Amino acid sequence: MLFRFGPHLIKPSVVFLRTELSFALVNRRPVLPGHVLVCPLRPAPRFRDLSPPEVADLFGTAQRVACVMERHFGGTSLTISLQDGPEAGQTVPHVHVHVLPRRAGDLPRNDSVYEKLEEREEDGTDCPDRWRSEEAMAAEAGELRKYFE
């Protein structure tokens, strides 16, 4: 089964958790180690488009994933972000929650994480030659999948 993330088809090999209404996948261009995404199965463009059960499942899944990511990647804190609409920095028209394990000093300025999340294709930072390989992504997803079995 392929997963849909906006206009993109996602291979099951990079998905490490599927619930009734959501899924979690590794990021092709993580801002920090352990940066993953949690998405509703239904490709809703905006947060307002989700049903109450989808919202509950999305955030319950994000919480489960966040606990694992912080522990697995040795974080001491978390950035959990949902950018709702292009002016908020959403680059894929499918609701998704960014989960990033954080540590002291991981970025020069703590809030620069939001600048990095907003980087777009026009500036050349989101082109295929800057993405992780499918093999690397599948290997990370395989490690993470073990926590949810």
Side-chain angles (χ1 to χ4, degrees):
M1 167 192 179
L2 292 176
F3 295 82
R4 184 159 289 285
F5 179 48
H8 309 287
L9 291 177
I10 304 298
K11 294 181 179 178
S13 61
V14 302
V15 173
F16 59 91
L17 176 61
R18 179 174 186 230
T19 67
E20 182 183 353
L21 299 172
S22 302
F23 68 100
L25 70 152
V26 299
N27 200 322
R28 69 181 181 194
R29 193 176 54 93
V31 170
L32 293 167
H35 175 190
V36 297
L37 304 176
V38 181
C39 311
L41 285 170
R42 185 174 64 87
R46 298 285 307 277
F47 187 67
R48 67 179 173 231
D49 300 326
L50 297 177
S51 69
E54 287 173 316
V55 170
D57 192 82
L58 179 69
F59 279 97
T61 303
Q63 183 180 44
R64 285 178 64 199
V65 166
C67 291
V68 166
M69 301 314 291
E70 186 173 10
R71 184 172 65 243
H72 182 78
F73 286 92
T76 55
S77 297
L78 293 158
T79 294
I80 299 170
S81 175
L82 187 155
Q83 297 160 295
D84 190 30
E87 291 74 27
Q90 182 184 23
T91 57
V92 177
H94 184 146
V95 175
H96 55 285
V97 178
H98 294 264
V99 177
L100 298 92
R102 302 295 306 273
R103 290 187 216 152
D106 57 8
L107 293 170
R109 284 183 330 97
N110 185 49
D111 281 351
S112 62
V113 69
Y114 300 107
E115 295 162 9
K116 291 188 171 292
L117 286 172
E118 288 185 29
E119 290 176 350
R120 297 178 185 259
E121 291 182 18
E122 318 64 89
D123 67 9
T125 60
D126 192 26
C127 55
D129 56 331
R130 304 267 314 254
W131 299 344
R132 294 193 299 165
S133 71
E134 281 190 38
E135 295 79 17
M137 292 171 60
E140 183 176 298
E143 272 185 52
L144 297 174
R145 207 172 286 121
K146 294 173 187 171
Y147 288 98
F148 300 100
E149 294 174 339

